[in-house]
Amino acid sequence: MPGKSPYPAELRRRAVRMVAEVRPDYPTEWATINAVATKLGIGTAETLRAWVRQAQIDEGGRPGRSTDESAELKRLRRENAELRRANEILKAASAFFAAELDRPHTHS
């Protein structure tokens, strides 16, 4: 359940748990998700459906990128971007100092 959510993590976990617990009481998974979302005051059932799907991925019951993998990928992308910026700064500095060395020195 990545990203910033207006819903506390505990509410998200509880909602996902409730969907699993009351699933036999409803004809379809979507009906279950709609009912639980309404009971808990979650904005849309689609929000809860996404949480359920992500929980299934995290538990290994569904293919996809887990929450931990997504967080690691995000961290690595951020680190990569930072290293690229640092590399560009070093290249610019190197070119600047190389130009300084090529200029003849004049004494006044």
Side-chain angles (χ1 to χ4, degrees):
M1 294 165 230
K4 295 181 190 216
S5 172
Y7 302 102
E10 181 53 38
L11 173 67
R12 288 180 279 163
R13 284 190 295 271
R14 180 175 168 222
V16 169
R17 217 173 27 248
M18 280 182 68
V19 168
E21 290 170 359
V22 300
R23 173 62 184 95
D25 300 342
Y26 294 88
T28 64
E29 183 182 45
W30 184 245
T32 307
I33 289 170
N34 269 312
V36 171
T38 301
K39 285 178 188 172
L40 295 179
I42 297 168
T44 66
E46 178 57 28
T47 299
L48 179 53
R49 188 199 65 78
W51 297 345
V52 169
R53 293 292 179 266
Q54 189 61 53
Q56 291 168 342
I57 291 168
D58 290 348
E59 293 165 359
R62 185 180 199 91
R65 187 178 300 143
S66 74
T67 302
D68 291 339
E69 290 171 332
S70 293
E72 177 69 4
L73 184 59
K74 184 177 180 180
R75 184 191 68 76
L76 290 171
R77 284 181 175 158
R78 199 171 37 246
E79 183 179 325
N80 195 4
E82 184 179 323
L83 291 171
R84 285 177 197 259
R85 282 190 298 275
N87 201 15
E88 289 302 315
I89 291 169
L90 290 173
K91 282 181 185 177
S94 176
F96 174 79
F97 288 117
E100 285 287 316
L101 292 175
D102 289 342
R103 259 190 245 150
H105 292 285
T106 57
H107 297 282
S108 314

